[in-house]
Amino acid sequence: MTSAPEGAEPLLVVHPTRARLSAGIGARLALAVLDAQAERGWADVSLTGGTMGSSLVAALAESPLRELVDWERVGIWWGDERYLPAGDADRNDTQNDDAGLRSLGIPAEHVHRVPGPDTSGSAEEAAQAYEAALREHGRGSFDVMILGVGPDGHVASLFPGHPAQLSDDAIAVAVHGSPKPPPDRVSLTLECLARSRQVWFVVAGDDKAQAVADGMAGAGPERSSAAQVRGQQATLWLVDQSAAGQVTERG
Ligand SMILES: O=C(O)[C@H](O)[C@@H](O)[C@H](O)[C@H](O)COP(=O)(O)O
């Protein structure tokens, strides 16, 4: 029996629909950034790829609460990136840009993009460069780490049973043979993902119901990468009604 990771107990927050979930996360993110800036004068946020990752960026860009935030004091990172050339439509940062990230007016030097094959010789080299950027420009921990979750319980590009999942000697790793295309990626490690004040899993759809139940139940790494990650202050499962379908009532 693997011991539960350190950090805040997971809290399930259920939203009636996917659209309300995205809107709720967008609003929650604006307020979390506002609080971080009030406390430390800055906010570092790690975004996610996937459909939820872009839906929440679009909701934030459309939220009136975005006006509360000084976007010049925000650092943007990604929990993982597909190893594709800058601007490729399948890159996570491109999809977030297209969803409205650029409209927030965050200075380009504060948006830390993972190098692709156009500016690095390999995914390993890109991982090293991204790790170096995090060491130089990061502030030791993320204020908010946003993670989509796959039906198999993967987060970022860390897949149960895949060798990269249990990498513990680095901050960022190259991933090859990803079960989710494209095959080559760069991912932050589980240990790095957990260097976060708040971890938010953003999940919609009944195909994710088992992954949510496993995450909430604290399944082992062979079943769930998500269950291995907790925030230091908060671990939120932000889900729609469909994705909550297999979570049993807490005893
Ligand atoms: O590169 C990616 O695709 C993401 O980083 C990945 O971890 C994603 O967040 C999950 O697969 C959930 O994706 P959906 O929200 O689209 O289901």
Side-chain angles (χ1 to χ4, degrees):
M1 177 69 181
T2 50
S3 58
E6 289 182 15
E9 281 287 318
L11 173 66
L12 182 72
V13 184
V14 184
H15 304 66
T17 65
R18 182 192 184 99
R20 297 278 181 85
L21 171 63
S22 298
I25 299 167
R28 184 186 293 270
L29 183 54
L31 295 174
V33 169
L34 186 64
D35 288 353
Q37 291 179 337
E39 188 176 344
R40 287 177 299 282
W42 182 267
D44 273 309
V45 175
S46 182
L47 298 176
T48 182
T51 52
M52 275 311 300
S54 292
S55 298
L56 76 90
V57 168
L60 172 61
E62 292 156 14
S63 169
L65 296 181
R66 63 176 276 183
E67 303 307 324
L68 297 176
V69 171
D70 175 357
W71 293 103
E72 301 212 346
R73 292 187 289 127
V74 174
I76 294 291
W77 307 84
W78 278 269
D80 73 327
E81 187 56 90
R82 293 114 181 246
Y83 190 58
L84 298 166
D88 187 290
D90 285 337
R91 278 179 63 103
N92 292 335
D93 61 0
T94 304
Q95 293 178 1
N96 289 176
D97 284 339
D98 293 347
L101 181 63
R102 289 190 191 274
S103 73
L104 298 176
I106 301 169
E109 64 270 23
H110 296 162
V111 181
H112 304 282
R113 299 170 189 271
V114 181
D118 50 327
T119 54
S120 63
S122 66
E124 284 75 9
E125 196 181 299
Q128 287 168 2
Y130 192 49
E131 179 165 327
L134 193 52
R135 290 187 193 280
E136 182 179 356
H137 301 293
R139 286 164 167 76
S141 62
F142 298 100
D143 293 285
V144 185
M145 170 60 67
I146 300 172
L147 294 168
V149 182
D152 59 359
H154 79 258
V155 291
S157 291
L158 303 173
F159 296 85
H162 193 283
Q165 183 205 45
L166 297 177
S167 301
D168 59 3
D169 59 352
I171 288 176
V173 290
V175 176
H176 300 291
S178 165
K180 177 178 183 180
D184 297 323
R185 294 155 167 261
V186 172
S187 183
L188 296 180
T189 59
L190 288 176
E191 186 266 340
C192 182
L193 298 177
R195 291 184 190 173
S196 304
R197 292 180 176 84
Q198 297 193 54
V199 169
W200 302 354
F201 299 107
V202 295
V203 197
D206 55 15
D207 62 323
K208 306 292 181 71
Q210 185 58 58
V212 174
D214 289 343
M216 288 297 295
E222 72 288 347
R223 270 186 78 88
S224 172
S225 296
Q228 313 317 311
V229 184
R230 288 187 176 182
Q232 296 155 5
Q233 297 171 5
T235 306
L236 303 181
W237 282 83
L238 305 174
V239 306
D240 70 353
Q241 195 70 49
S242 304
Q246 292 188 28
V247 177
T248 56
E249 288 305 314
R250 287 195 164 201

